[in-house]
Amino acid sequence: MLRNNYFGETKTHYKLYKCGKNWAVMGISLFSLGLGMLVTSQPVSADVIATSTSSSAVRTDAISESSSSAVKAETTSASSSSAVKAETTSASSSSAVKAETTSASSSSAVKAETTSASSSSAVKAETTSASSSSAVKAETTSASSSSAVKAKTTSASSSSAAKAETAAITTAGVANADSQTSAEVTADSTSTSQVVTNNFNNQNNTAQPAGNSTSTTQSTNQANSQISNQGQLNQFATGFVNRAISEGANVDPNNFTQAQIDALNKLEKYSTTKKNTDTTQFTYYQFQQTADKLAEVDPQYAIPYFKADQIQNLPAATAKDGQTGKVANMDIWDSWPVQDPTTGEIANWNGKQLVIAMMGTPNANSNHLYLLYNDYGGDNFAGWKNAGDIFAGYRGDKKTGLEIFDDQEWSGSAYPLDDGSIQLFYTHSKYETKTINHQNHQRIATANLKMKLNADGTISIASVDNDHTLFKGKDNASANGTHYQTFDQWAHNVTMFNGHKEDFGGADNFAMRAPHIVKDSQGNRYLVFEASTGDDDYQSEDQIYDLRNYGGNAKFQLESLFNLINNDYSVKDKVTGKMIKIGRDMRVRASQANAAIGIIKLGGTDNNPTVAEVYDPIISAVMVSDEIERPDIVKIGDTYYLFAASRLNRGTNDAAWRKANDKVGDNVVTLGWYSKDLTKGFKPLNGNGVVLTSTVPANWRTATYSYYAVPTRSTDPRFKNTVLITAYMTNRNRVADYRNKDGKAVLDPDFIQENNGEHNSTWAPSFLLRVNPDGTTRVLPYVTNQGVWDFNNATKLNTNIMTAKADEAYLPWEKGVPFDNGSILGSGQDWVDSMPSDPYTPTAPTAPTAPTAPTAPTAPTAPTAPTAPTAPTAPTAPTAPTAPTAPTAPTAPTAPTAPTAPTAPTAPTAPTAPTAPTAPINPSQPTTPTKPVQAGQAAATNFVDQRLPQTGETDQQHMTLSGLLLLAMSSLLGLFGMTKRQRKE
């Protein structure tokens, strides 16, 4: 019995054990299968075509001259991104690899690295993208004959900005490799292409859009263009040229000559050196604008026409010549009044107005100072008297009392002292024969003139005291001048050009002359004078490469620079009709030009002044002009207005002033600036400095020059904020007496006598110039008699001497007469004048029409009597209110419904049996290799652990869920088996 029971228990235990074993095996199998699916991934591949607008494409082309090149493109991405790796090797002489990667959403990262051996090019492009923005960085370094390109581009919201650091440029203004070897880098993108710009002050490069890179073939060609000179341009020159091209410069960098490249590479050195900011530069661009305004005969600046037959010689100019000792009809030119040094108004010296002038016999090289006088405030041309040569008997030949031709006095200024004497500042000039072009040795001098008023009302000079040199430009112990050029400095440093000295007819002038006295409100005395720049900003060919001398924009600067260094630069000669080369002349002149307006402060006493302080020039025209002369200052309100005369042919832009000569026949102007500080900070009037321009040929009777502005004393509102412009008329040495004989200009004495005698230089009619508070000016149609210096309430306007017709501004024999203008224009060439275009000559305003008497007002209509008001209507009695309705009783509430009993829960559904697991894929089985993609075909993309484009899900996600499900099922099966065993037990 016990055995049977034992056997029965044993059998039962065995069955239970066998059943549990089956369930355990099944559970373990399912558990293993699920765990395997968790850790095993299956590759999935799909062909993808990008259609999103936020995708990016990068193309890298590399061309190598060596035998082979290898290109490797690697792309990696983190998290939910795609990775692509392609390796390509070519053994041919050159290779081109194009890798295009696009994404439909999210972001993409592409890195392409290309290298080649020997004379190949290396390009590295790194691109990152976020949202719909892109960032591109390409870095390339150059070694040996390799090429280098570095570009940085950042984009946000489909916008892009480019930064390039390179020494090369293209005609489109994009950066290229700084190398002798050709390399091409293109970016195919929907964003706009970029133009690299750089200002010459070494500021950061900025990017400007140049158009869509996919819009036209031309844009692609520009982006791909390479220049053979790229390796020779430095970064400063590259930025400058790019900026000029962006402004419309018509240049092709591929065609730059070596001379142009050398010039461009010098810009950084000479354009960034320290320069004095207190000095105002008269620029090459302002010179060009001045010449243009002259050629246009702009009425804002144009000097009025004067009737030639109304112009008279100055009677007081017929006097004893202090050099020859003979009475002659002398020329008169540079002149100035004795003025109050603070207000600038004409001084009243014992009821007389005094003027000092340069005078001399024509063609006798006689250049000396004379004292002229007239009644104070008078405008009678014939009323002027001559007190004689100021320095005759005090300088020159002591035996004869005559002056000598090589010891001369030139223009200056003067003011009265309290003791009745006149303090004169003038130019003392001695003719030097030891210099290359026999220049006059000029220096600023001063003398005190003791005056005598004779019983008959005449004036004479009693004595000349304390005559001495005041300033020669030297302001230190060295031989050279720091602020201003000295004569010795000029004589021993004649411009060297191509290894030898250059003269060019005395184009390199020395200037230390025309001192003008000014006293400020504190009583400090200053001299403003014509000068040349000293060591601080000296003349040299280096000035051609300083962009600050040019003004204007980069386009103008580049074109002007190339003209100056081009020896073959030519213009058409008006007389012969042939092209003449002016480039070499311009380059030499630009190397020599250093005109300046200087200023010094005076010390000492009024009648024996000294130099107390030397300042930097207030105006400089270095590289632009070699002569800006006769400065004078007029103070209006609290502003100082500086005026100076100039001949444009003393400048370096030959083409500009020749154009003016062709149009008008002369090139003389007045320039102007203004400032509230007498020693610095001057701004150009009218924005360009031009104030007055000539309107007639230089050999006409009515040609004017040496303009000098003085304040007016009139209280007439029409003349508010005006200055009076004085000048001399008819160029010297009887230019107006020449006539045309057999095609040549001749001076025929018989002809002169037949035409009312000699036509000498004389004082011109004066006219008014309005100076507006905003820094602009305008010529007014108000003209006086000849020789008026003091414009006051009694001054008469002369309407008969002004004309609007150009054919009235010359004498009958003058038109068409050729003349040698070497002594006038300084070019030494014959010019045949043409009839200038008639400028707008403003006419005197007509008197306003007297207003008509106002119409007597009509008598107002008497008002009618008001209508009596009607009686008001009596109000009606109000209606009695109705009684309110009684409220109804409230309805009793209904009893609440009893809740129903809850429904019994249904029994849970029994779990279904698990499906049989699928057999795992044999991992040792090799996969079939994909067929390589041919060029031009779309490449299939293998996705590993990536999201499927069809469903948006990944295979890894499917397998993970499957494994978890199998684990859960195995656990249920094991639990089910244990439960069944317990029930059987």
Side-chain angles (χ1 to χ4, degrees):
M1 182 70 183
L2 292 174
R3 183 178 182 182
N4 290 336
N5 290 338
Y6 172 76
F7 177 76
E9 292 176 357
T10 303
K11 186 175 181 180
T12 300
H13 178 75
Y14 172 75
K15 289 181 178 180
L16 293 173
Y17 168 76
K18 185 176 180 180
C19 181
K21 180 180 179 181
N22 290 337
W23 284 107
V25 169
M26 184 178 297
I28 292 172
S29 300
L30 291 175
F31 181 83
S32 300
L33 178 61
L35 183 64
M37 294 181 69
L38 284 175
V39 299
T40 305
S41 62
Q42 180 177 357
V44 178
S45 83
D47 295 335
V48 181
I49 299 177
T51 59
S52 172
T53 58
S54 63
S55 64
S56 62
V58 177
R59 174 183 176 184
T60 304
D61 297 339
I63 301 175
S64 171
E65 297 179 358
S66 61
S67 60
S68 66
S69 64
V71 179
K72 178 179 181 181
E74 298 181 1
T75 304
T76 60
S77 127
S79 180
S80 57
S81 62
S82 62
V84 180
K85 178 177 180 181
E87 298 184 2
T88 304
T89 305
S90 174
S92 63
S93 59
S94 64
S95 65
V97 176
K98 176 178 180 181
E100 298 181 358
T101 303
T102 60
S103 65
S105 65
S106 185
S107 63
S108 63
V110 180
K111 178 179 179 182
E113 298 182 9
T114 304
T115 59
S116 64
S118 183
S119 301
S120 63
S121 61
V123 179
K124 177 182 179 182
E126 298 178 3
T127 306
T128 61
S129 173
S131 182
S132 59
S133 65
S134 63
V136 180
K137 177 180 180 183
E139 299 182 3
T140 306
T141 58
S142 174
S144 178
S145 59
S146 64
S147 62
V149 178
K150 180 178 181 182
K152 297 181 180 179
T153 305
T154 304
S155 173
S157 301
S158 299
S159 65
S160 62
K163 176 179 180 182
E165 298 176 6
T166 177
I169 52 89
T170 69
T171 56
V174 296
N176 287 273
D178 183 9
S179 171
Q180 301 287 338
T181 304
S182 174
E184 295 182 1
V185 178
T186 63
D188 297 330
S189 172
T190 57
S191 64
T192 57
S193 60
Q194 304 299 319
V195 172
V196 179
T197 62
N198 183 9
N199 68 29
F200 66 83
N201 288 325
N202 276 339
Q203 296 176 356
N204 291 333
N205 293 335
T206 59
Q208 299 177 357
N212 194 298
S213 60
T214 61
S215 61
T216 62
T217 304
Q218 181 179 6
S219 299
T220 304
N221 292 338
Q222 290 177 340
N224 290 335
S225 64
Q226 298 288 318
I227 61 172
S228 59
N229 299 325
Q230 58 185 322
Q232 302 179 44
L233 288 178
N234 59 34
Q235 182 179 356
F236 186 93
T238 298
F240 170 64
V241 174
N242 281 340
R243 195 154 52 90
I245 292 174
S246 70
E247 292 169 354
N250 186 21
V251 295
D252 182 0
N254 295 284
N255 298 327
F256 282 172
T257 66
Q258 191 60 48
Q260 291 172 331
I261 294 173
D262 292 343
L264 289 169
N265 284 335
K266 293 179 181 180
L267 296 179
E268 181 174 14
K269 177 180 179 181
Y270 297 107
S271 298
T272 58
T273 56
K274 184 178 179 181
K275 217 165 187 177
N276 195 314
T277 56
D278 290 343
T279 301
T280 298
Q281 175 72 28
F282 179 57
T283 66
Y284 207 72
Y285 183 66
Q286 291 170 349
F287 183 99
Q288 178 71 57
Q289 289 182 303
T290 302
D292 290 344
K293 293 300 181 184
L294 194 158
E296 294 168 7
V297 199
D298 191 316
Q300 181 179 351
Y301 318 103
I303 296 169
Y305 285 149
F306 303 105
K307 294 180 180 178
D309 59 5
Q310 298 293 312
I311 302 304
Q312 303 295 320
N313 289 346
L314 177 64
T318 302
K320 179 181 178 181
D321 187 313
Q323 178 176 303
T324 65
K326 299 178 180 179
V327 176
N329 295 324
M330 293 188 288
D331 284 334
I332 182 171
W333 55 103
D334 296 3
S335 307
W336 62 94
V338 176
Q339 299 170 265
D340 183 295
T342 302
T343 66
E345 292 181 354
I346 307 302
N348 183 349
W349 190 88
N350 294 315
K352 303 291 184 181
Q353 56 178 315
L354 309 176
V355 172
I356 298 172
M358 292 184 68
M359 299 174 65
T361 302
N363 297 304
N365 197 17
S366 179
N367 302 275
H368 303 287
L369 299 183
Y370 292 77
L371 178 65
L372 304 171
Y373 60 94
N374 200 348
D375 292 336
Y376 181 72
D379 60 358
N380 182 9
F381 187 55
W384 286 97
K385 308 297 181 183
N386 195 332
D389 187 324
I390 293 175
F391 289 96
Y394 301 96
R395 180 183 295 146
D397 192 328
K398 299 300 182 182
K399 294 182 179 179
T400 62
L402 298 177
E403 295 203 71
I404 56 178
F405 79 94
D406 61 354
D407 194 358
Q408 303 173 351
E409 306 88 33
W410 296 356
S411 60
S413 61
Y415 74 103
L417 302 184
D418 292 340
D419 62 0
S421 64
I422 302 298
Q423 193 63 33
L424 171 66
F425 298 92
Y426 69 101
T427 306
H428 187 193
S429 178
K430 285 192 174 183
Y431 192 66
E432 299 282 358
T433 59
K434 62 183 179 182
T435 60
I436 185 172
N437 49 18
H438 311 300
Q439 267 278 7
N440 290 285
H441 185 177
Q442 307 157 35
R443 55 270 209 191
I444 295 174
T446 185
N448 183 256
L449 309 181
K450 294 295 191 296
M451 310 293 294
K452 182 179 179 182
L453 180 60
N454 302 313
D456 58 359
T458 60
I459 295 176
S460 59
I461 300 171
S463 65
V464 177
D465 302 325
N466 297 328
D467 181 22
H468 64 281
T469 297
L470 185 64
F471 186 63
K472 297 191 295 184
K474 186 175 179 180
D475 51 2
N476 52 39
S478 67
N480 294 342
T482 303
H483 301 292
Y484 307 105
Q485 185 183 48
T486 66
F487 183 79
D488 290 339
Q489 185 178 5
W490 172 85
H492 293 90
N493 291 278
V494 176
T495 299
M496 301 297 292
F497 191 75
N498 291 344
H500 62 280
K501 295 180 180 179
E502 293 287 354
D503 182 8
F504 278 85
D508 186 13
N509 293 291
F510 170 74
M512 182 59 63
R513 61 178 183 261
H516 178 78
I517 183 68
V518 182
K519 184 183 289 187
D520 65 15
S521 57
Q522 287 76 39
N524 299 310
R525 295 165 296 150
Y526 299 87
L527 282 182
V528 177
F529 55 94
E530 178 187 356
S532 303
T533 59
D535 281 345
D536 281 351
D537 199 16
Y538 200 58
Q539 67 181 55
S540 72
E541 188 177 354
D542 298 342
Q543 294 288 356
I544 295 176
Y545 311 111
D546 188 343
L547 294 178
R548 291 168 293 188
N549 296 331
Y550 288 86
N553 59 14
K555 174 181 179 293
F556 175 82
Q557 293 167 357
L558 179 65
E559 293 171 349
S560 300
L561 171 67
F562 282 2
N563 286 341
L564 283 176
I565 65 173
N566 181 12
N567 290 340
D568 295 328
Y569 180 50
S570 303
V571 296
K572 187 176 182 180
D573 181 76
K574 179 181 178 181
V575 177
T576 65
K578 298 180 180 179
M579 299 299 293
I580 56 174
K581 292 183 178 180
I582 61 173
R584 192 166 186 271
D585 178 61
M586 289 174 59
R587 185 174 183 179
V588 173
R589 288 176 180 269
S591 301
Q592 297 171 336
N594 64 332
I597 302 297
I599 184 170
I600 58 176
K601 186 177 182 180
L602 298 179
T605 61
D606 280 338
N607 63 0
N608 193 18
T610 59
V611 176
E613 188 173 358
V614 179
Y615 297 92
D616 290 307
I618 54 178
I619 305 295
S620 170
V622 66
M623 195 213 81
V624 178
S625 178
D626 210 36
E627 183 179 271
I628 300 178
E629 58 182 348
R630 296 215 66 210
D632 77 291
I633 286 182
V634 177
K635 189 176 183 181
I636 302 177
D638 61 350
T639 303
Y640 295 98
Y641 293 90
L642 168 63
F643 301 95
S646 183
R647 298 185 187 274
L648 294 183
N649 71 303
R650 305 292 196 224
T652 59
N653 193 337
D654 288 24
W657 67 259
R658 285 173 181 270
K659 176 183 176 182
N661 265 348
D662 287 348
K663 187 68 178 293
V664 175
D666 203 356
N667 56 69
V668 296
V669 298
T670 289
L671 305 173
W673 300 265
Y674 66 105
S675 173
K676 294 185 182 300
D677 190 329
L678 183 58
T679 62
K680 61 184 177 181
F682 279 84
K683 300 177 182 179
L685 286 169
N686 301 308
N688 49 29
V690 59
V691 175
L692 299 174
T693 57
S694 56
T695 51
V696 300
N699 65 331
W700 283 13
R701 174 65 163 161
T702 56
T704 55
Y705 187 56
S706 195
Y707 310 101
Y708 191 93
V710 293
T712 60
R713 296 194 296 125
S714 174
T715 59
D716 190 322
R718 293 177 298 169
F719 312 133
K720 184 179 180 180
N721 293 333
T722 59
V723 294
L724 186 70
I725 301 298
T726 65
Y728 76 85
M729 178 172 281
T730 309
N731 277 294
R732 297 163 54 199
N733 300 322
R734 298 176 182 168
V735 169
D737 286 331
Y738 282 79
R739 65 186 182 93
N740 191 340
K741 186 176 182 179
D742 299 328
K744 296 182 179 181
V746 297
L747 191 62
D748 188 344
D750 294 335
F751 177 80
I752 292 174
Q753 294 303 319
E754 294 171 1
N755 290 277
N756 301 320
E758 300 169 348
H759 296 83
N760 297 328
S761 296
T762 184
W763 280 341
S766 300
F767 59 94
L768 291 177
L769 175 76
R770 170 153 289 137
V771 181
N772 299 310
D774 62 356
T776 60
T777 65
R778 174 168 287 276
V779 174
L780 298 180
Y782 302 115
V783 177
T784 71
N785 293 336
Q786 291 177 250
V788 172
W789 292 87
D790 181 20
F791 190 85
N792 54 72
N793 290 332
T795 304
K796 296 181 293 294
L797 297 177
N798 189 337
T799 58
N800 293 326
I801 206 168
M802 185 176 69
T803 179
K805 299 179 180 179
D807 58 6
E808 292 183 344
Y810 63 92
L811 297 174
W813 59 86
E814 288 181 327
K815 189 176 184 305
V817 176
F819 64 97
D820 181 1
N821 62 1
S823 61
I824 301 173
L825 304 179
S827 67
Q829 296 180 3
D830 287 343
W831 289 84
V832 177
D833 63 77
S834 59
M835 177 67 71
S837 300
D838 288 353
Y840 166 72
T841 303
T843 57
T846 57
T849 304
T852 58
T855 305
T858 58
T861 304
T864 60
T867 305
T870 59
T873 304
T876 59
T879 304
T882 59
T885 304
T888 59
T891 304
T894 58
T897 304
T900 59
T903 305
T906 58
T909 305
T912 60
T915 59
T918 58
I921 299 174
N922 186 359
S924 62
Q925 182 177 357
T927 58
T928 304
T930 59
K931 185 177 181 179
V933 179
Q934 299 299 323
Q937 295 180 347
T941 305
N942 291 329
F943 289 82
V944 179
D945 293 336
Q946 295 292 326
R947 187 179 302 274
L948 294 176
Q950 295 90 340
T951 64
E953 299 177 346
T954 63
D955 57 340
Q956 186 177 14
Q957 291 175 337
H958 284 293
M959 288 183 285
T960 300
L961 292 174
S962 300
L964 291 174
L965 181 62
L966 289 175
L967 286 175
M969 292 176 65
S970 64
S971 299
L972 290 174
L973 288 174
L975 181 63
F976 180 79
M978 293 176 62
T979 304
K980 184 177 182 181
R981 177 183 175 184
Q982 291 177 355
R983 288 178 178 177
K984 289 184 176 183
E985 289 179 345

